[in-house]
Amino acid sequence: ALTEVQSALELEPGYIDALNLLAHLQLRAADLPGALATYERSLEARPDQGLTVLAVGYLLQDAGRSPEAIVRFEEAAALGEADAWFALARLAVDGGDEVEGRRLLEEEYFARTKGGRKYTEALALKADLDRRRQLRFAAGSGGLMLALGLPLVVLTRRRTGWTLRVLLE
């Protein structure tokens, strides 16, 4: 397949589908730098390829180049790729900004799609963020009850002279 794609590119160097297929084959052969270069070549020829921009973003993210990946995800989102919003939300959550991650999921991703490749992962991320929020609320409520309740028990015990066992009963 690689030989056929390269032959096609010799005949037509700007053939977008062949460039994207070559990049995919390079990825399967674990040639990340070659795949990135081929995708970039494809995007130079036709920059409005949302899925290709998204793929480049994921490759950059996998390579540990998050700032560059964010730029590519934002470009893909501007080109109408809803999955780019999920990628941005995931990066925000992984970076410790759960509020921004939740906002991107709810206001951008779920507002644009009702299904797709990343929809199940997006639902799982939203459920995880909801669970974290509930745990923080429960911990805060418990701490507040303890902070308010303990002094009240001590004050009541001192004023009435009752033992702790009597107060608990």
Side-chain angles (χ1 to χ4, degrees):
L2 189 59
T3 305
E4 291 297 321
V5 171
Q6 289 172 335
S7 296
L9 286 172
E10 286 175 12
L11 295 172
E12 181 62 44
Y15 186 34
I16 301 300
D17 292 335
L19 285 168
N20 290 338
L21 181 56
L22 176 60
H24 180 74
L25 292 172
Q26 288 170 323
L27 278 178
R28 291 190 65 164
D31 181 11
L32 180 65
L36 273 171
T38 304
Y39 274 137
E40 292 295 343
R41 189 171 141 199
S42 173
L43 289 171
E44 285 174 14
R46 200 175 92 210
D48 64 341
Q49 302 175 75
L51 285 175
T52 302
V53 175
L54 184 62
V56 170
Y58 280 121
L59 290 176
L60 291 169
Q61 182 182 12
D62 290 345
R65 296 162 52 184
S66 291
E68 294 171 73
I70 289 170
V71 170
R72 287 305 189 159
F73 290 143
E74 289 170 346
E75 288 175 27
L79 290 169
E81 291 300 322
D83 286 346
W85 292 111
F86 168 73
L88 289 167
R90 169 60 70 191
L91 281 172
V93 170
D94 291 346
D97 192 351
E98 291 180 16
V99 173
E100 180 65 4
R102 177 183 299 281
R103 186 194 70 75
L104 288 170
L105 275 178
E106 292 175 357
E107 295 177 15
E108 303 294 347
Y109 181 76
F110 288 123
R112 287 177 168 73
T113 187
K114 301 294 181 227
R117 292 178 308 239
K118 298 292 184 178
Y119 197 77
T120 303
E121 288 179 61
L123 289 173
L125 179 60
K126 184 179 182 316
D128 184 49
L129 290 172
D130 290 343
R131 183 186 54 77
R132 290 181 194 185
R133 177 189 277 175
Q134 289 171 345
L135 286 173
R136 278 194 303 274
F137 179 76
S141 297
L144 183 63
M145 292 298 290
L146 186 62
L148 295 177
L150 192 59
L152 184 62
V153 167
V154 170
L155 182 65
T156 303
R157 186 170 172 230
R158 283 187 181 165
R159 290 193 178 227
T160 61
W162 293 343
T163 64
L164 185 57
R165 171 174 268 185
V166 171
L167 281 175
L168 290 175
E169 289 173 0

